[in-house]
Amino acid sequence: MLLRQPRRPLVADACEPAEPGPGELRLRVRACGVCRTDLHVVDGDLPPRRPSVVPGHEIVGVVDAVGPGVEGVALGERRGVPWLGGTCGICPYCREGRENLCDSPEFTGWTRDGGYASSVIARADYCFPLPPGLSDEAAAPLLCAGLIGYRAWRLACADWPVRRLGLYGFGAAAHLLAQLATYDGQAGYAFTRTGDEAAQSLARGLGCVWAGGSEDAPPEPLDAAIIFAPVGDLVPLALAAVRKGGTVVCGGIHMSDIPSFPYARLWEERRLVSVANLTRQDAREYLPLAAAAGVRPHVRRYPLAEANAALDDLRRGAFTGAAVLIP
């Protein structure tokens, strides 16, 4: 399913599977999650980086061809392919161990073809073994929604213990992180679109102690909050909801403009930070932790040919949890 022009439907295309180049794998796709970042690519919020591209970066596949120079990977192995598709390894950020900030990165489904397809080519060193207890469709959303939630969560909890955690925008990432936070003993507070009873019910069912609209004040101050919805208006609301010294993390790659707000919202050592992409170490830590914690997505399945319908449903908020395409 090919994106030939932003803000236009994807087009079905038939082609022969490509051969992997040096350091690459070809995977037969078993499942590919539908992420909000895919929407940003399709809708042109992220400007095109090539004339056309196959979206999709929450890919579960089976290795069916191995390129020259790849060692330690066997045909038939199941691997996951995430958003970060490659880094240069030589820029200051890569040398500092912060490859998520690489100056010359590659991104699956944006700068290189992704998983809305029957097969995908990926760099072998950016593919991950997947825990055996996770089905293909359960593993797919973990590869971005899960990973970015984990990175945002670690940043939110970096400086002091967090007992009360706010989650703004209760979609794919938040519903996965809520399960991990509950497993870790934190109390989750879910903020949804006003009147979204389905998302609020899901949040309570996954262990959140409170769920309400994004403009509602929580019953008690939060220690930290993570904003997953790409809505800049949520930033001053989240800052007002956290206690003195609390942290607000913006977890998306794109967000609408943040409105002006009184300095008092930020004062008293509240922090406002963003998260960018992920590192391979994030995946090595998160995937086994999620499996051990029993993190499981609520999935709506779509055939690959219905990718446009899946994107439209995500755009409209027509389902809770995560959508997954099955070739």
Side-chain angles (χ1 to χ4, degrees):
M1 298 298 291
L2 190 64
L3 177 66
R4 290 184 173 152
Q5 187 175 346
R7 295 174 291 280
R8 295 290 180 85
L10 306 182
V11 178
D13 190 31
C15 58
E16 291 297 319
E19 293 299 320
E24 293 181 332
L25 303 174
R26 187 179 70 205
L27 297 95
R28 178 166 44 85
V29 177
R30 285 184 168 179
C32 184
V34 179
C35 180
R36 185 160 293 277
T37 303
D38 299 333
L39 271 185
H40 294 319
V41 172
V42 171
D43 292 346
D45 298 324
L46 300 179
R49 296 288 187 88
R50 47 188 291 178
S52 63
V53 70
V54 178
H57 57 272
E58 297 178 334
I59 308 166
V60 175
V62 174
V63 177
D64 72 356
V66 178
V70 177
E71 298 180 355
V73 180
L75 296 177
E77 284 189 19
R78 190 174 72 143
R79 296 270 168 149
V81 185
W83 167 245
L84 188 64
T87 54
C88 71
I90 59 174
C91 73
Y93 299 103
C94 285
R95 293 199 305 269
E96 293 168 359
R98 296 193 289 171
E99 64 184 9
N100 61 305
L101 302 178
C102 174
D103 283 335
S104 302
E106 297 179 27
F107 296 110
T108 310
W110 187 25
T111 68
R112 59 185 300 152
D113 285 335
Y116 286 19
S118 56
S119 67
V120 66
I121 301 290
R123 277 182 51 169
D125 53 347
Y126 285 82
C127 298
F128 307 111
L130 297 171
L134 291 170
S135 68
D136 298 332
E137 65 180 46
L142 303 187
L143 290 160
C144 183
L147 278 170
I148 201 67
Y150 173 70
R151 187 170 183 84
W153 182 57
R154 283 195 310 144
L155 190 57
C157 303
D159 293 327
W160 45 77
V162 170
R163 293 174 296 137
R164 297 184 294 272
L165 177 69
L167 302 171
Y168 284 80
F170 204 81
H175 98 287
L176 293 172
L177 181 56
Q179 298 174 60
L180 187 58
T182 298
Y183 174 80
D184 197 55
Q186 294 175 334
Y189 294 72
F191 297 81
T192 73
R193 294 174 180 172
T194 300
D196 191 344
E197 294 293 340
Q200 293 174 18
S201 177
L202 176 62
R204 297 185 191 99
L206 294 175
C208 290
V209 300
W210 179 90
S214 59
E215 296 184 358
D216 295 338
E220 48 194 336
L222 307 174
D223 298 310
I226 302 173
I227 301 174
F228 291 114
V231 181
D233 289 346
L234 295 176
V235 170
L237 294 174
L239 284 170
V242 298
R243 65 177 176 86
K244 292 184 287 187
T247 300
V248 174
V249 181
C250 299
I253 190 173
H254 172 81
M255 179 180 273
S256 61
D257 289 348
I258 300 170
S260 63
F261 55 86
Y263 176 64
R265 292 277 177 101
L266 187 63
W267 188 57
E268 295 174 316
E269 300 193 353
R270 294 174 178 86
R271 295 191 307 154
L272 175 64
V273 298
S274 69
V275 161
N277 310 314
L278 64 128
T279 68
R280 286 172 285 181
Q281 186 59 31
D282 291 333
R284 297 184 191 107
E285 294 173 2
Y286 172 70
L287 292 171
L289 175 61
V295 174
R296 296 293 184 273
H298 286 237
V299 168
R300 177 176 288 193
R301 295 165 55 109
Y302 295 80
L304 175 61
E306 295 181 13
N308 286 311
L311 289 165
D312 286 342
D313 286 348
L314 175 59
R315 189 182 288 108
R316 295 185 299 110
F319 58 81
T320 57
V324 175
L325 301 178
I326 307 295

